[in-house]
Amino acid sequence: MARTADHGGGVRSIRVPIPDNPLGHTLVYVVDTDRGPVLIDTGWDDPDSWDALVEGLTVCGTSIAEITGVVVTHHHPDHHGLCGRVREASGAWIAMHAADSAIVRRTRETRPERWFTYMEAKLAAAGAPEDHLAPLRAARARGSLPGFSPALPDREIVPGDLLDLPGRRLRAIWTPGHTPGHVCLHLEEEHPAGLPGRGRLFSGDHLLPEITPHIGLYEDPEGATSTDPSTVSAPVDRGDPLGDYLDSLERIGRLAPAEVLPAHQHTFPDAPARVRELLTHHEKRLTDLLALLGTPLTPWQLAERMEWNRPWEEIPYGSRHIAVSEAEAHVRRLVKTGRAEAVTASDPVTYVAV
């Protein structure tokens, strides 16, 4: 039987498995409304995940056919993946922040060779070695992209607005960082168990009880118009994702909800305490990077030297892309705050502490 939980006050959750992923599952929330149940996220697009969602809804006393809407915290496939199947089965609307909706449109429209070209240019600019770039070139030559064709949202989540959920007060809070359009959802209702604080917060991946979400550079292959990497410029400055995340964390800390309902792991109280832990974690990581940047290093070299949950040699090929992007986001923050700078005329670019 699917693993479900009743959180009281017309809110339940379903553990929807993520295949071959250490996170294990996505917590999909079912929120009762006067118009019928609404989902917050849907889970990964996989047959076992779909079966778990369908079974879980039955345990919760409803069904896929009765779902009236899906509110997506962000575009990642373990949150947005099953939206299309839910809409096909129920006619439900799908709502997402405009910044992530734009990514969904680009994902659907980007040709595989264009994406591989972009990734190769991005990693080359970060100092990736030839043996890491070669598989990307081979994949581009094959013209196949193991990816997704995610469902296009048909409603926009507007930050600060109450969502159209009759009988409920669910307000959108824009919390960029993990993605540019990530939203948390504040249920502005008294906690069903009377816990002190301001309602409940569906936090997506923004605030998790025991792990820190990935913060990397915002991906955008739009500039990769050629299949020849030599004609593709290095990725341009696309903001400060880590700075966005830290600002968003502080905003959630000030909100002080009675309970946090995250998309992974388990619910927890005392959001301000968890926010403080995450702010401290990232400041320590920035300080550690500054110590490494006593000598000019590329983002790839930084990633090799950073502390991860395993030695660099044991990090899988695909996960190294994520690690380098996280290193770049932290370096971008150091540059934005005047603590590091790019070395003039370095190619690939190196950074040094100032």
Side-chain angles (χ1 to χ4, degrees):
M1 181 171 288
R3 299 182 68 184
T4 63
D6 189 340
H7 302 280
V11 176
R12 296 172 295 278
S13 64
I14 304 167
R15 292 191 173 198
V16 176
I18 309 171
D20 302 317
N21 190 294
L23 279 175
H25 62 268
T26 300
L27 288 170
V28 172
Y29 292 95
V30 187
V31 180
D32 293 338
T33 80
D34 292 346
R35 201 177 284 152
V38 167
L39 300 182
I40 297 178
D41 293 334
T42 58
W44 193 278
D45 186 6
D46 177 81
D48 290 342
S49 305
W50 172 255
D51 290 345
L53 179 62
V54 170
E55 182 183 344
L57 288 169
T58 300
V59 173
C60 290
T62 185
S63 69
I64 283 286
E66 295 180 64
I67 301 302
T68 60
V70 180
V71 184
V72 185
T73 60
H74 61 295
H75 73 86
H76 287 165
D78 55 324
H79 298 259
H80 181 220
L82 284 170
C83 283
R85 291 196 67 176
V86 171
R87 182 163 59 189
E88 289 172 6
S90 65
W93 46 261
I94 301 171
M96 183 182 287
H97 187 281
D100 273 21
S101 294
I103 293 172
V104 170
R105 284 193 296 273
R106 290 199 297 271
T107 299
R108 292 171 62 93
E109 296 167 1
T110 299
R111 301 185 309 276
E113 65 271 16
R114 185 176 180 181
W115 180 259
F116 283 120
T117 298
Y118 164 76
M119 286 301 299
E120 184 183 346
K122 178 179 182 296
L123 287 162
E130 173 59 29
D131 61 358
H132 191 88
L133 299 175
L136 288 170
R137 282 195 290 275
R140 187 180 73 242
R142 290 193 302 270
S144 61
L145 178 63
F148 312 91
S149 183
L152 282 170
D154 41 52
R155 292 192 181 185
E156 181 179 334
I157 296 175
V158 179
D161 282 5
L162 288 171
L163 279 78
D164 182 21
L165 305 185
R168 310 306 299 247
R169 288 187 60 85
L170 189 66
R171 192 176 302 277
I173 304 173
W174 184 34
T175 50
H178 184 56
T179 71
H182 191 290
V183 293
C184 292
L185 302 154
H186 186 208
L187 191 59
E188 299 178 340
E189 302 168 8
E190 184 178 347
H191 192 281
L195 295 182
R198 301 177 59 193
R200 291 183 280 180
L201 184 78
F202 300 99
S203 65
D205 280 1
H206 182 68
L207 194 62
L208 302 170
E210 298 169 7
I211 56 178
T212 58
H214 166 66
I215 308 297
L217 295 188
Y218 299 142
E219 303 286 5
D220 183 0
E222 284 192 337
T225 56
S226 168
T227 57
D228 177 4
S230 66
T231 67
V232 180
S233 60
V236 299
D237 184 332
R238 297 196 180 279
D240 179 13
L242 181 56
D244 292 345
Y245 179 66
L246 299 177
D247 290 345
S248 300
L249 274 180
E250 292 183 344
R251 190 158 60 250
I252 293 302
R254 291 191 295 270
L255 182 66
E259 186 177 27
V260 178
L261 287 71
H264 303 289
Q265 298 188 309
H266 55 81
T267 62
F268 61 100
D270 202 352
R274 183 58 180 146
V275 165
R276 288 193 295 271
E277 290 175 356
L278 289 168
L279 292 173
T280 299
H281 163 80
H282 283 288
E283 186 53 43
K284 180 181 184 302
R285 173 150 277 197
L286 290 168
T287 300
D288 290 346
L289 285 183
L290 269 181
L292 292 173
L293 289 175
T295 301
L297 296 172
T298 67
W300 183 277
Q301 291 168 330
L302 269 177
E304 290 179 315
R305 291 159 173 79
M306 289 170 68
E307 289 188 17
W308 305 104
N309 59 2
R310 68 189 89 177
W312 180 257
E313 294 74 19
E314 298 177 14
I315 295 177
Y317 177 85
S319 298
R320 293 187 179 193
H321 296 177
I322 297 172
V324 171
S325 185
E326 183 133 341
E328 289 180 304
H330 281 74
V331 170
R332 178 75 54 82
R333 184 63 183 159
L334 291 173
V335 171
K336 292 281 186 179
T337 55
R339 291 182 277 178
E341 64 183 10
V343 176
T344 303
S346 56
D347 184 21
V349 63
T350 58
Y351 295 88
V352 67
V354 295

